[in-house]
Amino acid sequence: MQQDLLTRAKAWLAEDPDPETRAELEGLIEAGDEGALADRFAGTLQFGTAGLRGEIGAGPMRMNRSVVIRAAAGLAAYLNARGRSGGLVVIGYDARYRSADFARDTAAVMTGAGLRAAVLPRPLPTPVLAYAIRHLGAVAGVEVTASHNPPRDNGYKVYLGDGSQIVPPADAEIAAAIGAVGPLTGVPRPDSGWETLGDEVLEAYLARTDAVLAPGSPRTVRTVHTALHGVGTSVLTAAFARAGFPAPVLVAEQAEPDPAFPTVAFPNPEEPGAMDLAFATARRTRPDIVIANDPDADRCAVAVPDPSAGGGWRMLRGDEVGALLAAHLVDRGVTGVFAESIVSSSLLGRIARKAGLGHEETLTGFKWIARVEGLRYGYEEALGYCVDPEGVRDKDGITAALLIAELASALKEKGRTLLGLLDDLALEHGLHATDQLSVRVEDLTVIADAMRRLRETPPATLAGLPVTSAEDLSQGTDLLPPTDGLRYHLTGARVIVRPSGTEPKLKCYLEVVVPVGGVEALPGARAKGEELLAALKRDLAAAAGI
């Protein structure tokens, strides 16, 4: 075994405070497992605008107590250096493996650094933490979650006092402060001194959820709900009860938190098979809609009855839900700016402009959307919706579920459906069909090679459509800061390619816009949209070599 690798592993072991990861690392050292050690010590988990996220285990390339203590110490140093000494840091956590431990370590480090720390009372949705930051006047917040990542992962998401996730340059400055942390023995970690909050913050959040609904609006829709083994069930059912909706029928197998996520391959409503149990429950109970939250309940998925779909139920795309919520808010007469990430459908801009509202595009992520001046509503295609930016400056799967339930109820009262409203939007603005080519990789060089290939040899046509402009977003634009991505505009279509910021995936976002002459033309327009999207996928995969 390389002596340097063994030296680094033993040095890490010497200061690891966790019996579980110490035992793991001791076993690897004793077994002489050079490959496993090299994987864990190939570098360090990089702190960025998504905070930290990775597989749980020993070593600097894994999520563990040592890594979390260093991250917390760096964040504390960053806050103290900016005059926030004595300020409050609120800490939330989900029900994943080690989340409670990581939250407790964070509270101890903050307390030891002269800040005040308050921990949410139990595993709760991420939007409750985002709300609590502003509600309590905190200088920062930390959420321990890996959202919809596989069961073996965990993560560490940082918010500043405005209640939004960090953006540059704060991410780099916090990363530098983490890098400057010395031996863990020098990081004070008292055994007490922080506060464990009661249910008052949750009650205040729930009281706020009522504000997203119009007074006196219909509340009759019947729902099936799945939390996908996450933390959403109790908060969503409480919010629905307060609002006066019928109690959702729960997908019993997935209603309680379980870090093993035993019934799904990936706990993400967008992944194949994740909604099977919800659809089975819906076929038994015949609700009006199905609502799913991801494990930390900041995302919201919606499915509707559709006789043409296999099993009789169809998942709506995030872009479809985004447009439906926008149309509903316009119908309610809201004012302000509608915002979306660049990978989301251009339909939102058409809806906003026709209503005389402002519209802005941002880089991917609610850390950018939440910062749009005058924001009234923001969404992105990955099932994220911000419908109450004054309360939660982040995506919120609970309030989004309430708003879609209100819309479905209003349509139900008129004998109409969400699919019918999507037809209306297609007739008014053209059929906006979206899809995604997403490639999960084991070897990250596959992603780098694909991006390099596309930059060196950009396609001239895709799906038989000429590429009218190609932008390398790493150079930035007049409206956007630099990001690793490529954007192609075609006649009647748009393609964006980017590496995922949170998973080992290359993501390609596709949109085609098909004019619709009348109701009778809708089926043909849909067929043409599907045909073009399939051709875009095929040609883009070939161009990228994936």
Side-chain angles (χ1 to χ4, degrees):
M1 184 182 296
Q2 299 175 35
Q3 189 59 42
D4 175 59
L5 177 60
L6 185 60
T7 300
R8 282 184 288 136
K10 287 184 173 179
W12 185 274
L13 179 64
E15 65 172 20
D16 188 340
D18 188 340
E20 283 189 34
T21 46
R22 282 181 59 83
E24 175 191 337
L25 194 50
E26 284 172 342
L28 294 174
I29 291 171
E30 288 172 12
D33 191 336
E34 186 166 352
L37 287 171
D39 188 41
R40 286 160 174 75
F41 287 86
T44 58
L45 281 184
Q46 293 302 300
F47 186 94
T49 51
L52 293 167
R53 198 173 288 187
E55 186 177 344
I56 294 170
M61 287 296 289
R62 297 287 189 270
M63 282 295 296
N64 51 62
R65 290 183 60 201
S66 296
V67 165
V68 165
I69 290 167
R70 287 184 177 280
L75 174 60
Y78 169 87
L79 293 170
N80 283 329
R82 280 152 186 80
R84 301 292 190 267
S85 184
L88 176 67
V89 179
V90 188
I91 302 148
Y93 59 104
D94 66 12
R96 283 178 176 266
Y97 294 121
R98 312 311 305 269
S99 286
D101 297 332
F102 296 165
R104 186 185 186 281
D105 279 329
T106 300
V109 171
M110 295 300 162
T111 303
L115 292 146
R116 292 181 296 126
V119 184
L120 293 184
R122 58 184 172 279
L124 287 168
T126 293
V128 177
L129 181 276
Y131 168 80
I133 294 166
R134 301 183 72 214
H135 177 68
L136 297 174
V139 298
V142 171
E143 177 71 15
V144 181
T145 180
S147 188
H148 55 274
N149 274 39
R152 64 181 183 272
D153 289 1
N154 212 327
Y156 200 80
K157 187 184 292 188
V158 174
Y159 298 74
L160 293 182
D162 62 356
S164 300
Q165 296 177 52
I166 56 170
V167 295
D171 58 342
E173 291 165 352
I174 295 170
I178 294 170
V181 174
L184 290 190
T185 51
V187 177
R189 284 185 293 127
D191 292 327
S192 62
W194 59 89
E195 178 185 4
T196 299
L197 296 166
D199 280 344
E200 297 82 6
V201 169
L202 177 59
E203 284 301 314
Y205 167 81
L206 286 168
R208 177 84 198 184
T209 62
D210 296 349
V212 306
L213 303 175
S217 62
R219 315 277 169 93
T220 57
V221 75
R222 294 176 302 109
T223 60
V224 159
H225 175 257
T226 176
L228 290 182
H229 302 294
V231 298
T233 297
S234 62
V235 179
L236 181 130
T237 53
F240 269 55
R242 290 178 67 102
F245 286 103
V249 174
L250 303 180
V251 179
E253 303 94 327
Q254 300 172 332
E256 294 302 316
D258 186 338
F261 302 104
T263 68
V264 292
F266 289 96
N268 178 353
E270 295 178 295
E271 293 283 349
M275 296 293 289
D276 287 356
L277 286 171
F279 292 158
T281 305
R283 285 190 288 273
R284 289 196 307 272
T285 60
R286 302 177 67 81
D288 299 304
I289 59 173
V290 172
I291 289 174
N293 291 123
D294 69 336
D296 68 328
D298 62 353
R299 288 174 169 82
C300 175
V302 181
V304 295
D306 184 351
S308 67
W313 283 83
R314 175 165 86 83
M315 273 277 289
L316 297 180
R317 293 192 171 279
D319 284 320
E320 292 176 312
V321 176
L324 288 168
L325 292 176
H328 181 45
L329 290 170
V330 166
D331 190 55
R332 279 180 32 185
V334 304
T335 58
V337 176
F338 284 9
E340 62 184 322
S341 60
I342 57 171
V343 299
S344 304
S345 173
S346 60
L347 178 55
L348 183 69
R350 296 184 187 221
I351 293 170
R353 285 189 290 274
K354 181 154 188 183
L357 301 175
H359 171 251
E360 284 198 32
E361 286 187 321
T362 74
L363 293 183
T364 308
F366 271 82
K367 57 186 174 283
W368 300 108
I369 293 171
R371 286 180 161 77
V372 168
E373 192 170 343
L375 179 68
R376 177 57 185 84
Y377 167 63
Y379 99 93
E380 65 180 4
E381 56 75 44
L383 310 181
Y385 314 94
C386 175
V387 301
D388 177 25
E390 287 304 306
V392 176
R393 292 192 178 177
D394 199 0
K395 54 187 176 292
D396 183 346
I398 306 298
T399 50
L402 285 172
L403 199 61
I404 201 73
E406 179 184 61
L407 171 58
S409 297
L411 291 168
K412 182 180 177 181
E413 298 281 298
K414 300 172 185 175
R416 305 191 62 225
T417 65
L418 295 175
L419 290 181
L421 181 52
L422 285 172
D423 285 347
D424 291 349
L425 292 172
L427 290 168
E428 189 174 359
H429 302 288
L431 178 76
H432 289 62
T434 60
D435 203 352
Q436 189 180 128
L437 172 63
S438 181
V439 181
R440 185 182 291 273
V441 302
E442 292 292 330
D443 181 0
L444 291 177
T445 62
V446 173
I447 294 175
D449 289 345
M451 295 297 290
R452 177 183 49 75
R453 190 176 290 111
L454 289 170
R455 284 188 168 104
E456 291 176 355
T457 314
T461 63
L462 292 168
L465 303 172
V467 176
T468 56
S469 70
E471 296 171 277
D472 186 342
L473 298 176
S474 66
Q475 307 302 309
T477 72
D478 292 343
L479 300 174
L480 298 170
T483 188
D484 187 9
L486 300 163
R487 179 163 60 181
Y488 304 106
H489 289 284
L490 304 92
T491 304
R494 185 204 65 197
V495 173
I496 295 174
V497 184
R498 59 178 282 272
S500 169
T502 56
E503 299 178 90
K505 282 183 176 181
L506 181 68
K507 290 189 166 186
C508 310
Y509 305 84
L510 320 172
E511 179 178 43
V512 298
V513 182
V514 183
V516 184
V519 176
E520 69 287 345
L522 273 169
R526 284 210 174 81
K528 184 177 180 182
E530 289 177 10
E531 178 187 325
L532 283 170
L533 287 171
L536 281 174
K537 274 189 180 181
R538 181 192 65 231
D539 292 357
L540 187 62
I546 53 177

